[in-house]
Each structure stands twice: as structure tokens, then as C-alpha cells.
Amino acid sequence: MPIQVSSASLSPADLINKPLDVVQLLVDEAPADQITPNSDWGVPAFFQQKLAGTHIPLLNNSISADGSKILPTVGPQPQTLVRFRCMVQETLNSEFFIGCVKCPNGQGQMKTISGKYSESLELSPEDAKFVDHRDASQAASRLVLNCVVIPGESAWLKESLGMSIAPAEGEAKQDATQSARPKKRAHDDQDDTEEDYIMEEEAKTEKQARTEDSGMGASGHSDQPSSAAATVAVPHASNKLLETPSKVQCLVKVYTEDESLFRVGQTYEFLGVFCMPPPETGGSNSGISIEEDGHELMHWPASRVMRVHAIAHRPVSVNDCVCPSAQLQQQEFLQVAAAVQRDLSSTRSSLVHYLASVCGGDAVCAELLLANLLSSVHSRQHGKAVGKFALNICLPPSEDPAAQQLHRSFARALSSVYEMLLPRVQSFKLDVPGLNASKLYPVKDYDFNCLLPARLQMGEGTAVVIDEVDMSSGNLDDTGCRNLRAISRITSEQLLEYDFKFHTMDFPVDHPVLLISRGASIVPSDARYSLTAANLCSVPLPSDELAHKWRVYLSVARQISVDISDDAAAMVSSSFVALRQQNPKTNENQLHLRLTLAKLLSASHMESNLSQSAWELSLSVAAKLSQPGAEPAIQVA
């Protein structure tokens, strides 16, 4: 039943359970001169104000931990308010819809019915007479984003957000469809860390675009062929996903004309109305399959992909929920940084000691791992990514089965350490069969006009751990060569190549890369370190309190910008001249490596200026590195 009160008396529960009624109420209360399809009617600001401090259901909890399927037992009801943390996998064409319709209210006056934040415009037969699809004054447009759950989020981060962290072993092998089931919403909503939903200022002041002609029926499909195709085509991609773990996709519809607000590979949290088109009956496009565990899982047809109509959004950085952003929340960041600074010595030394223990007591390896954990792309100069530090830990080659098993255990342990310390980590097992199996890079499918999910498409700041200890001789086919080239370009250039069949396009990325291999990796790296410690053994995980302390420290140090003063520049220049005199083969890349390492070590000490001690430490550590690989160890097609 529609809400029959004023907006001032509404409770947060009203906004969560009946958001569309609330929107209509705000339209009814809006001044007549503001009733246009492109106005926001004060909806974003009203929802943000009313919901401050309120726990809102998280749509992510309806999706399996690996993002490959909809869970059959939990989920929000359609037409309710949800939060959705996601990565933009693809930006689609805008679609048109009926923004609002003005019709008589039966009392000699005109009323306005909103068509925003829903798939269809529900009208009575009498009101429907006033809809004119050719009337531009009724139409608007909205952006459509194809989104997936943020890949690689660590279990501890999900737990801190109240997200489901149940293991998803075996789920990846099931048919992953663009599906959802209209189950009753679980009432034990998670206690999530409350975030302020910040609608971009540009979107507030601009006239906003709307998409998909809502029409009058329940289908919610646009009457315009081009926009209808954009809406329907994306869900079809679920039947064309790779055999590797695919992702449940969700169409997020954003009411703004500014397409520059959203980029492929960026991560956001949306506050919006959850929608699911009505089920289709009969035919080959509908049905129910029964899981092995007895749970029902709906396999929806192409038009049954989840939708979220965004009321507000905010960007989600890799440091989100761990540390405030140094750019967006400067005051809060400075307060956290000051707290970390007070206990810096013990925090850093305990972390380095722990990393050294994992590496068999090798302190140099621990310093290199710390630098790798802190690395990120700060800028790009002359086509080169500045700040990246791809590290290759080289284990001694051995034919001894016991040694090989030890190396596998070490690689798993180091990957677990990264997952324990960092918010986002993607681990790859690199061998010839795996490289040949399926495409790891994004590919455009023109049959369904969509971008297929790919494991290498990750959110900004996601660390990549590549386990190469089981790599053996073999032949790479075309897929394998292209996969190896895609991985190599991430480590060497921080670029991910998208395959659009008739052409390719490079997208800049920011992924710290750690390579673990027996001997030198076939993937290029910035630094190679030979780990010869024989006493590699398992190390117990730290306490939750200490692990949290390390995470905050890493998040703060990662955001510190290290400058080079004139004195530091002179010191670096004179050192480089001395290095050239000792070894004439010393080149620009080696200087760049030492400078990058020195800045990372300075950041690890939370120094905003390059110090002499950090520079000397970088020279000492760099002297123990193997020759860094500027090119892949094998040629790729």
C-alpha cells in the first residue's frame, strides 16, 4: 500500500522496504517547476540524510563467496533498498525510459507519476492514455553498467563488512548464469560498517539521464529497438561464459549523463532499488534445476538478470574499510597516520620479522616483500608506470620430490600471508595446461554484444600472486601464448589488453605482482631474488589484533607520497655516477629500480621525503638481487 504520510515523518525502515513509494511521495511534494524527467526531485539527498547511521541490506550476501552464482536461501525482495559493492566489468549503451507522466488526479488537478528507479512504469488503464512514447518531454535516459562482485576480496575484509564468507569450493564448476531467485529476504540483516553515500556533485547539478523506455507493462523493456537490445543482450552472456569461474552479473542503472564518472575495472558501492523482472512462464527459457545439496537454484532466461537502480554511489578504494583515503578524507587519514606513527618502530619490525620467518629467516627477502606490498602505480611517464615493483622470488631448481613439495607449501604459505595482509588478492597457478585452458583476458562476444568475464580483469589495487613452482616444459597454443603475454604486460607495463576481435585496446591497471618460481620466472619482473634458505617452514598466523595493526600500517604507508628534495636528487645522482664507474653496464633501468625501491622503503618508514638511510638500504638490497628480467624468458606470439 502506498505511503500516505509526509516525507518528514518517514522512518529508515520505510525507505528500505518501500523506496519507490518514498520516491513518488517526494515527487508529489516537489514544486511544480521541478517536475521534469531529468530532475532528481531531491531523492538522493533525502535518502542519504534519512539513512545516515542505518544498516542497509547488502546484495553481495545473496551471491556466493566466489561470485559465481546466486545463493538460493538468502536475498532481498524486489523493489527494496540494497547496497551493492561491485566492479564495473563493462559500460553499456544508455537506454531510454519514461521519466514521468502527468495525468489528471480526478480532482481537477494534474498529478505526476514517476518512472525512475524501476524497470517498468505501473499505470492504470486511464493513466496509460496520457503516455506518449514520442513525447520527448516524458523521456529521459540512464547509464547502464554491467557489474560483478569485486574480485579477490579477502575473507577478513568480507567478515568486517558482514558479508558471507562461506567457502565456494566446487561452485565454480556449475553453470554460472545471470540469475537470481525471488526468495524471501532474510531478516537477519548484517551489521555492516555504515558508509556515507556520496552522490557526485556533478550528478546533483546536472540534468540527469535516464534509460530504457519503461512502457506500461511488467516487462520493463524499452520500446526503442536500440535500447531494448542493450538491455536484453547482456544477460545472454551468461550462457557464453568461460569454463573458468564465471561471475554473477548485475545491471546497475545510474541516473546521470556524466559517463566519465564510471570506468571499466573501477570499484564502487551503490545504494539503490533492487529489481528483478517478473518470471517468464513456459518455453525453453525458463526452468528450475536442483543442486546436489537439495537447494533450488533458479536458471532465469536472458531477461532475468538482476538490476539495481542507483540512487547514490561512492567509489570504493582498495584501502576502504581499513584506512581513510588520503585524498578524500584528509583529516581522518592524518589522525590514523599519527596513531600509526606513534607505534611505527614496533609495527614495522614485527611485520618484517614475520615475513622473514615465512622466508626461512631471510631479512633481505622480507624487506623486498614489504616493498612489494606497498607498491602501486603513482603516475605514468613516457609510457612507463612509475611506482610499480614486480618481485620474483626464485627458489632453487630441484628434482627432489621432497624439495618440490616444500616449494609448493612455501608458495601457498606466501599467498596466504598476502591474503591475510591485503584487502584484495588474486592468486594464479601458472603452468602450461592452465595457460592453454581458457582466456584469462577480457574478450568481446559480438554474438551477445557483451564483454565476457576474465580472471585478469580486477579492481584497482588488487595484488596478484603468481605461483609458478609447478611450471614444466610444454607447448603453449595460441590461447596460452596470449594469456602469457597478457600476464607479462601487467607485470612489465601495468596494462591489460582487451580483445575486441577486430582490434585490441590497452587499459591501465594497478596491480602489485609477486612471482614465485623455481629458477627465474618466464614472466618479466622488476627484481629477482634467489631465496636459498633451506629451513622454509610453516609459520602460525598472527593474532587478529596484530594482523589488524599490520593492515592499517600497510594501508597508511601505501598512501604516503615520497618526494625527492634537491639534496636527495644530488645524492642519487652522485651514487649513480659511482655505480657507473664501478660497472659501466649499469643502465637507466637499474637506477630506476633502486630509486623505486628507495621510495618504497622510505614509505615503509612513513617518511614523506627520500632519506639517505632509505637510499643506502636500497643500494644494499639491490646489490643482492639477480639481474632483473626486462623481457619474458620465452617468446610469446
Side-chain angles (χ1 to χ4, degrees):
M1 180 179 296
I3 298 174
Q4 301 292 340
V5 296
S6 68
S7 59
S9 63
L10 295 177
S11 67
D14 293 326
L15 276 66
I16 294 173
N17 297 324
K18 298 181 179 180
L20 295 181
D21 289 345
V22 174
V23 170
Q24 183 59 52
L25 182 61
L26 293 174
V27 173
D28 295 340
E29 294 179 352
D33 59 351
Q34 295 183 12
I35 305 299
T36 65
N38 287 322
S39 60
D40 65 13
W41 310 317
V43 171
F46 179 82
F47 272 74
Q48 292 177 80
Q49 179 183 3
K50 278 285 185 178
L51 293 173
T54 303
H55 299 305
I56 301 168
L58 193 62
L59 183 59
N60 300 64
N61 283 327
S62 303
I63 303 173
S64 61
D66 66 350
S68 65
K69 74 171 187 178
I70 296 292
L71 298 176
T73 55
V74 294
Q77 290 187 4
Q79 319 305 327
T80 59
L81 199 70
V82 297
R83 290 187 297 130
F84 185 40
R85 290 170 56 89
C86 58
M87 180 187 76
V88 177
Q89 183 195 333
E90 183 181 15
T91 56
L92 306 177
N93 293 330
S94 296
E95 60 184 16
F96 293 95
F97 74 109
I98 298 297
C100 61
V101 175
K102 294 183 179 181
C103 50
N105 64 359
Q107 300 176 357
Q109 297 177 337
M110 299 295 288
K111 65 179 179 181
T112 301
I113 301 177
S114 167
K116 293 178 65 172
Y117 309 117
S118 65
E119 288 297 302
S120 60
L121 180 60
E122 301 292 341
L123 297 173
S124 67
E126 288 298 319
D127 291 339
K129 297 177 182 179
F130 294 90
V131 176
D132 185 354
H133 298 286
R134 296 166 297 180
D135 185 357
S137 66
Q138 296 182 351
S141 67
R142 57 195 171 201
L143 299 181
V144 184
L145 310 174
N146 191 18
C147 299
V148 297
V149 173
I150 299 174
E153 284 197 318
S154 299
W156 60 265
L157 178 63
K158 293 181 179 180
E159 186 176 5
S160 70
L161 292 168
M163 295 168 59
S164 173
I165 56 174
E169 317 274 350
E171 294 175 356
K173 297 181 181 178
Q174 304 178 43
D175 292 334
T177 62
Q178 253 79 34
S179 59
R181 73 250 146 306
K183 297 285 184 180
K184 291 184 179 180
R185 187 184 61 174
H187 292 287
D188 52 342
D189 293 336
Q190 303 75 16
D191 290 335
D192 303 313
T193 303
E194 179 57 31
E195 307 290 350
D196 292 331
Y197 294 91
I198 304 172
M199 183 65 77
E200 300 291 336
E201 291 300 322
E202 297 90 336
K204 291 182 177 179
T205 57
E206 293 177 350
K207 291 184 177 291
Q208 299 186 319
R210 319 287 181 258
T211 60
E212 186 190 63
D213 185 339
S214 297
M216 299 176 297
S219 66
H221 293 159
S222 171
D223 289 340
Q224 302 188 21
S226 61
S227 59
T231 303
V232 176
V234 176
H236 274 294
S238 61
N239 299 321
K240 298 286 287 183
L241 298 180
L242 305 175
E243 294 179 0
T244 52
S246 15
K247 300 296 180 184
V248 172
Q249 293 162 313
C250 176
L251 295 183
V252 178
K253 303 191 176 183
V254 187
Y255 294 77
T256 177
E257 294 176 340
D258 191 354
E259 298 183 9
S260 65
L261 289 176
F262 304 97
R263 293 191 294 119
V264 170
Q266 297 300 299
T267 52
Y268 301 89
E269 180 170 287
F270 292 96
L271 172 70
V273 181
F274 172 69
C275 292
M276 182 63 68
E280 299 178 14
T281 58
S284 59
N285 286 334
S286 62
I288 300 177
S289 69
I290 304 298
E291 299 276 10
E292 292 181 359
D293 59 5
H295 292 298
E296 290 185 354
L297 174 66
M298 298 297 292
H299 289 272
W300 302 114
S303 60
R304 297 286 293 137
V305 68
M306 293 190 299
R307 271 91 160 170
V308 171
H309 290 261
I311 292 176
H313 72 272
R314 67 179 185 88
V316 175
S317 71
V318 68
N319 298 308
D320 192 64
C321 300
V322 182
C323 173
S325 169
Q327 295 180 336
L328 302 179
Q329 301 164 289
Q330 187 175 15
Q331 192 62 36
E332 294 86 346
F333 172 79
L334 292 176
Q335 292 175 359
V336 175
V340 172
Q341 184 75 49
R342 287 193 292 269
D343 201 21
L344 175 62
S345 179
S346 64
T347 303
R348 187 187 188 281
S349 61
S350 62
L351 177 56
V352 171
H353 182 267
Y354 183 81
L355 294 174
S357 299
V358 175
C359 300
D362 194 321
V364 174
C365 188
E367 293 286 352
L368 289 168
L369 288 173
L370 179 56
N372 180 257
L373 287 165
L374 296 177
S375 62
S376 63
V377 178
H378 299 301
S379 62
R380 294 181 183 269
Q381 298 179 4
H382 309 294
K384 292 185 177 181
V386 178
K388 75 180 185 72
F389 183 66
L391 175 62
N392 179 197
I393 301 297
C394 304
L395 301 171
S398 175
E399 299 299 326
D400 181 8
Q404 293 178 355
Q405 183 58 40
L406 181 64
H407 293 165
R408 295 188 189 100
S409 299
F410 170 73
R412 287 194 298 268
L414 202 51
S415 178
S416 297
V417 168
Y418 268 58
E419 292 172 1
M420 180 265 293
L421 292 173
L422 299 178
R424 300 177 193 166
V425 179
Q426 280 279 60
S427 298
F428 292 83
K429 188 80 172 177
L430 206 63
D431 54 25
V432 172
L435 286 170
N436 291 336
S438 59
K439 295 175 181 177
L440 300 176
Y441 52 91
V443 178
K444 182 78 171 183
D445 187 331
Y446 286 96
D447 292 338
F448 299 102
N449 193 31
C450 71
L451 196 66
L452 298 181
R455 290 198 65 199
L456 287 177
Q457 189 181 27
M458 301 168 285
E460 185 176 285
T462 302
V464 177
V465 179
I466 299 178
D467 177 0
E468 200 184 311
V469 296
D470 284 329
M471 177 64 73
S472 59
S473 60
N475 295 322
L476 293 180
D477 58 18
D478 181 68
T479 297
C481 289
R482 290 176 181 270
N483 282 335
L484 183 57
R485 181 174 64 186
I487 295 172
S488 299
R489 294 199 65 195
I490 289 177
T491 62
S492 60
E493 304 174 65
Q494 288 291 307
L495 294 174
L496 177 60
E497 185 178 280
Y498 284 56
D499 184 0
F500 293 95
K501 295 293 179 70
F502 306 106
H503 71 283
T504 60
M505 183 177 295
D506 293 337
F507 282 73
V509 296
D510 181 9
H511 302 309
V513 180
L514 175 67
L515 301 152
I516 310 167
S517 60
R518 289 187 292 119
S521 171
I522 64 173
V523 178
S525 61
D526 297 308
R528 288 177 179 163
Y529 182 76
S530 297
L531 183 61
T532 58
N535 57 334
L536 298 176
C537 58
S538 60
V539 178
L541 291 175
S543 65
D544 291 342
E545 181 181 0
L546 184 57
H548 176 72
K549 195 175 183 179
W550 289 343
R551 292 164 193 156
V552 175
Y553 157 69
L554 290 172
S555 296
V556 171
R558 193 180 297 116
Q559 297 184 70
I560 292 178
S561 177
V562 179
D563 298 324
I564 302 178
S565 64
D566 292 341
D567 291 341
M571 174 185 63
V572 171
S573 178
S574 61
S575 296
F576 186 56
V577 170
L579 288 172
R580 288 294 301 270
Q581 291 174 346
Q582 295 174 7
N583 183 5
K585 294 183 179 180
T586 303
N587 56 35
E588 179 184 355
N589 290 335
Q590 292 170 308
L591 172 64
H592 178 73
L593 169 64
R594 286 163 172 76
L595 193 55
T596 298
L597 185 56
K599 294 178 74 172
L600 291 172
L601 293 173
S602 287
S604 74
H605 288 280
M606 296 186 63
E607 298 169 344
S608 58
N609 290 288
L610 181 63
S611 63
Q612 182 176 354
S613 59
W615 175 249
E616 292 175 350
L617 180 58
S618 73
L619 294 179
S620 174
V621 171
K624 299 179 181 181
L625 295 173
S626 304
Q627 182 67 25
E631 300 294 336
I634 66 173
Q635 295 299 313
V636 295

